[in-house]
Amino acid sequence: MFTEQDIKQIENHGLTIDKVNAQISLIKKGMTYSNLVDAATIGNGILRKDKQQQQDCMDFFDAKRDQLSIVKFVPASGAATRMFKFLFQFLNEFDENKDSIESYTEKNKLFKEFLDGLEKLPFYDIVLAKIQETVPNFDSLSLAEQSVLIVKTLLNANQLNYSFYPKGLLPFHKYKDHVSTAFREHLLEATMYATSNNTANLHFTISEAHEELFNNELKQVKDQLEKEKNINYNVSFSFQNKSTDTIAITATDELFRTDESKLSFRPSGHGALIENLNKLDYDLVFIKNIDNIVVYDQNIEISDYKKMLAGILLQIQRNVFKYLHCLENDEISEDEVNNIELFVINRINVDIRQAYQDYTLEEKRTYLHNKLNRPLRVCGMVKNEGEPGGGPFWVKDAKGSISLQIVEFAQIDIENQSQKEIVDIATHFNPTDLVCGIKNYKGEKFDLSKYVDPDAAFITMKSQNGVDIKALELPGLWNGSMAYWNSIFVEIPVSTFNPVKTVNDLLKPAHQV
């Protein structure tokens, strides 16, 4: 099946023949849809804390944080290209010599919103200054000419080239005396909850192509923020490992080859970042996407919910560790085992198999130990108000075990009526706001690769060089890559979710000072 040239290419990519064959088999087999049993709702998989309980959790975290090693993990490899999609369309469709800008904005609401809010965008002054360098008579141009010039200055490779930039390094928020990138805002946000012993550890996963840009930004802001906040920053970067790339095959299940007859390997999605996460050695890991960051003043209240999630994790983890030690004690009584069983069911959301009731005391101890001794995550869940994204569901796996999972829409067979009915009653979605405990009760780091469900991979149809291809994406980082973790879902307000999917999102109140 593979030529000598193929084998060399596979090995140079950090892959093996067996791995590539396994990928091909998965793609040919097709996607395994999640088997939804129920939607997770308040009282049925999602916790709701009142104000006093929230404060108690925050206080518990604050009391413990200096005894812990903490890191904030930020997936930040995405380029900003999609943010500007409708602006690229504008350049392709609009002819300033023939078309009127008024008629174009009537048909294109996104572009109208962009033009109307232009002066509020964080890069407005930067764009104008760039234009003035070569077009001093800008103010005398027609609105159509000005619009084309602004968009070209934003996007063109020989101008600001913002579509090439990673989201994390775009101007995000405009303050009185400076413009802040999302990267800088994440450093600031870390001081609010992700610090211990006056140190903030942050780890960003980035594209190798952007490494120099990120390092330059870090040099520009680090010293200033350390003085301003009286804190030490320890910032590290990593790349998505090329060995996690997956092979592409054609729609007819043949190997897809480039014009040079080479195999085609593609990045396998954010699920590959489980390897990056697995290399970190901290007690507590906060995970948040690069584009979900608000202006500083609004972030003070929002960050309290991160502390609440961390407090819940530490409270549950304390009991988990205590019970694991108890289960190792040969003198443990049946009553104690029964109490641990109730904790596993009611607090860790574990579905106890029916055969468990017939187990001996020793078998019960082993079973409960296995269920408790896993990585733990506490995930914020937001009321569903029509935003896209995965959601919290009770899911049955191939062995019949039921557990709480974060399921992406692409993992659901929506043509199946019973599955659609479950989706229709769902009340919450996943804003990717989680805190993780990745060490066991002995202080040893879990090997996170052991808790991945490989069958939860995504098969997507793409077009490459005009050919329809099938591509494999690894189980999502907070989906199948954490399938066998213990999961606690907690309601947090929708004000904590403010992603920037298009440039116009920067006009929303959460991104305006």
Side-chain angles (χ1 to χ4, degrees):
M1 188 179 189
F2 297 115
T3 66
E4 283 187 28
Q5 181 186 332
D6 292 341
I7 293 168
K8 193 173 180 181
Q9 186 187 350
I10 288 167
E11 290 171 349
N12 287 342
H13 218 84
L15 288 158
T16 64
I17 301 295
D18 286 346
K19 273 190 178 179
V20 173
N21 277 327
Q23 291 174 2
I24 292 169
S25 295
L26 257 178
I27 298 172
K28 286 181 177 178
K29 188 176 82 169
M31 245 182 82
T32 303
Y33 288 112
S34 296
N35 183 6
L36 307 185
V37 174
D38 201 359
T41 54
I42 301 298
N44 181 32
I46 301 178
L47 298 175
R48 175 181 282 163
K49 299 287 188 182
D50 63 30
K51 287 289 182 189
Q52 187 56 54
Q53 290 170 326
Q54 290 174 14
Q55 190 60 53
D56 290 345
C57 292
M58 287 184 252
D59 293 343
F60 189 82
F61 169 68
D62 280 331
K64 299 283 184 185
R65 63 197 292 179
D66 282 342
Q67 302 162 37
L68 302 166
S69 59
I70 300 173
V71 68
K72 184 180 177 187
F73 181 86
V74 186
S77 60
T81 313
R82 287 185 203 168
M83 280 178 61
F84 302 108
K85 184 180 176 183
F86 72 89
L87 294 182
F88 280 111
Q89 286 176 339
F90 167 72
L91 290 181
N92 288 332
E93 295 168 355
F94 186 76
D95 184 341
E96 59 191 287
N97 297 314
K98 294 180 183 176
D99 303 328
S100 100
I101 200 73
E102 291 78 15
S103 63
Y104 187 85
T105 52
E106 272 179 33
K107 296 177 206 164
N108 194 307
K109 289 181 181 177
L110 279 175
F111 192 75
K112 183 179 189 315
E113 187 182 0
F114 172 78
L115 274 192
D116 289 348
L118 198 54
E119 292 183 18
K120 293 181 180 178
L121 288 168
F123 44 73
Y124 176 69
D125 292 336
I126 300 169
V127 172
L128 277 194
K130 187 74 175 170
I131 290 172
Q132 295 287 352
E133 290 174 10
T134 54
V135 188
N137 66 329
F138 175 77
D139 290 340
S140 64
L141 299 179
S142 69
L143 181 57
E145 290 170 323
Q146 287 182 346
S147 301
V148 171
L149 201 50
I150 285 168
V151 175
K152 282 183 175 179
T153 304
L154 263 178
L155 302 180
N156 282 2
N158 62 347
Q159 297 291 319
L160 292 173
N161 199 20
Y162 279 170
S163 66
F164 163 78
Y165 272 62
K167 273 189 188 180
L169 297 182
L170 284 181
F172 247 53
H173 301 145
K174 184 180 178 181
Y175 295 88
K176 280 184 181 177
D177 58 351
H178 71 279
V179 174
S180 184
T181 61
F183 176 78
R184 185 183 191 276
E185 296 285 22
H186 273 281
L187 265 62
L188 268 174
E189 186 191 72
T191 65
M192 300 179 196
Y193 61 85
T195 60
S196 61
N197 298 305
N198 217 41
T199 298
N201 302 301
L202 294 97
H203 185 85
F204 294 84
T205 61
I206 63 173
S207 163
E208 212 165 340
H210 298 141
E211 182 182 16
E212 187 178 352
L213 292 172
F214 272 102
N215 278 318
N216 289 342
E217 176 73 358
L218 179 60
K219 284 175 191 170
Q220 281 192 356
V221 302
K222 182 172 179 280
D223 289 347
Q224 178 204 344
L225 291 181
E226 285 184 334
K227 287 174 189 171
E228 188 182 310
K229 295 297 173 185
N230 191 29
I231 204 159
N232 298 311
Y233 281 105
N234 173 33
V235 179
S236 55
F237 302 105
S238 66
F239 315 126
Q240 191 165 312
N241 195 329
K242 282 186 76 175
S243 67
T244 63
D245 289 355
T246 55
I247 196 163
I249 66 175
T250 67
T252 54
D253 292 341
E254 302 294 328
L255 289 171
F256 174 78
R257 294 187 180 277
T258 65
D259 292 341
E260 296 83 32
S261 296
K262 289 188 174 181
L263 301 173
S264 178
F265 292 96
R266 304 173 61 90
S268 55
H270 57 69
L273 299 182
I274 197 71
E275 286 198 7
N276 305 64
L277 185 61
N278 204 22
K279 289 175 182 172
L280 300 182
D281 189 7
Y282 293 89
D283 298 316
L284 216 57
V285 183
F286 289 93
I287 301 180
K288 190 177 181 187
N289 279 330
I290 188 71
D291 65 336
N292 185 18
I293 191 81
V294 300
V295 293
Y296 183 75
D297 286 348
Q298 295 182 43
N299 214 341
I300 296 168
E301 180 185 348
I302 285 173
S303 290
D304 280 345
Y305 292 101
K306 310 289 185 301
K307 297 204 287 184
M308 177 191 77
L309 296 178
I312 292 170
L313 184 139
L314 292 175
Q315 288 172 343
I316 290 173
Q317 192 180 60
R318 177 181 60 178
N319 285 324
V320 167
F321 289 176
K322 178 180 77 174
Y323 290 143
L324 283 166
H325 284 295
C326 287
L327 288 166
E328 290 189 344
N329 181 1
D330 290 335
E331 304 299 316
I332 191 171
S333 69
E334 191 162 355
D335 282 347
E336 287 175 299
V337 170
N338 290 339
N339 282 335
I340 295 172
E341 176 194 334
L342 291 174
F343 174 82
V344 166
I345 294 169
N346 296 321
R347 298 303 304 277
I348 307 295
N349 302 306
V350 171
D351 176 54
I352 299 286
R353 65 175 63 165
Q354 204 168 355
Y356 172 87
Q357 301 308 326
D358 297 324
Y359 285 178
T360 64
L361 188 62
E362 184 62 32
E363 287 171 335
K364 286 181 177 180
R365 284 171 60 193
T366 302
Y367 180 84
L368 293 173
H369 194 284
N370 174 264
K371 292 295 185 184
L372 285 173
N373 193 28
R374 297 171 182 228
L376 176 65
R377 62 176 179 168
V378 176
C379 311
M381 292 295 161
V382 168
K383 277 186 184 175
N384 198 331
E385 296 183 351
E387 293 284 354
F393 292 92
W394 292 96
V395 176
K396 183 184 284 189
D397 68 16
K399 294 178 181 176
S401 294
I402 297 171
S403 61
L404 280 177
Q405 301 290 338
I406 297 171
V407 183
E408 296 301 318
F409 195 74
Q411 293 176 276
I412 302 169
D413 182 5
I414 207 69
E415 300 299 318
N416 182 318
Q417 187 59 30
S418 66
Q419 298 291 281
K420 184 180 182 301
E421 286 171 3
I422 293 171
V423 172
D424 288 344
I425 62 167
T427 55
H428 290 70
F429 76 95
N430 165 47
T432 312
D433 210 337
L434 55 161
V435 57
C436 306
I438 57 173
K439 289 187 178 178
N440 68 16
Y441 65 114
K442 296 178 180 178
E444 303 161 334
K445 204 174 72 62
F446 285 106
D447 178 359
L448 304 182
S449 66
K450 293 181 178 177
Y451 300 90
V452 175
D453 177 8
D455 288 336
F458 298 84
I459 314 294
T460 56
M461 292 298 296
K462 308 274 185 184
S463 179
Q464 191 161 326
N465 299 340
V467 178
D468 288 336
I469 61 167
K470 289 192 276 191
L472 176 70
E473 287 192 15
L474 295 179
L477 180 59
W478 36 85
N479 312 115
S481 287
M482 296 182 177
Y484 299 122
W485 292 41
N486 284 327
S487 299
I488 313 294
F489 295 161
V490 183
E491 184 179 61
I492 56 176
V494 73
S495 60
T496 62
F497 185 61
N498 300 282
V500 176
K501 300 304 178 190
T502 82
V503 65
N504 288 355
D505 287 331
L506 292 171
L507 296 170
K508 292 179 178 178
H511 299 288
Q512 293 288 313
V513 177

